[in-house]
Amino acid sequence: REISRGPAQFGPKAQQQIGLQIESTFKQQANEIFQQQAVLKLMGGSHVLILTATAFHVFTSQEQAQWQHALESCVLNFPEA
């Protein structure tokens, strides 16, 4: 079940790129699984970067902060064409 969908900000402020973030939950073998995914279409459009975090509980505020830090830490270096 999708909980939320919105923009994902990859990279530090000066180099920030916007992707998509989805938060969802699903059942697997009677366990409720919580998942966050952030997706960014890479230059050229033929590849995507997907980051995923998964837990057996609702993400805590500390885990949410770690997730945001991971997204903000993504520095994408593309080769010159």
Side-chain angles (χ1 to χ4, degrees), residues 27-56:
K27 289 252 186 206
Q28 184 175 26
Q29 299 176 0
N31 294 312
E32 189 165 16
I33 310 294
F34 295 85
Q35 194 169 69
Q36 296 183 103
Q37 289 188 317
V39 181
L40 179 65
K41 188 176 180 180
L42 300 177
M43 288 179 63
S46 61
H47 295 86
V48 295
L49 172 66
I50 302 173
L51 298 179
T52 303
T54 305
F56 291 106

Side-chain angles (χ1 to χ4, degrees), residues 2 6-7 21 32 34-35 48 54-55 57 61 63 72 74 78:
E2 188 174 303
Q21 181 168 300
E32 189 165 16
F34 295 85
Q35 194 169 69
V48 295
T54 305
H57 58 270
S61 58
E63 290 167 332
E72 292 166 5
C74 288
F78 298 105

Side-chain angles (χ1 to χ4, degrees), residues 64-81:
Q64 288 286 10
Q66 291 170 334
W67 173 253
Q68 288 305 316
H69 178 72
L71 295 179
E72 292 166 5
S73 297
C74 288
V75 177
L76 304 171
N77 295 314
F78 298 105
E80 296 292 324

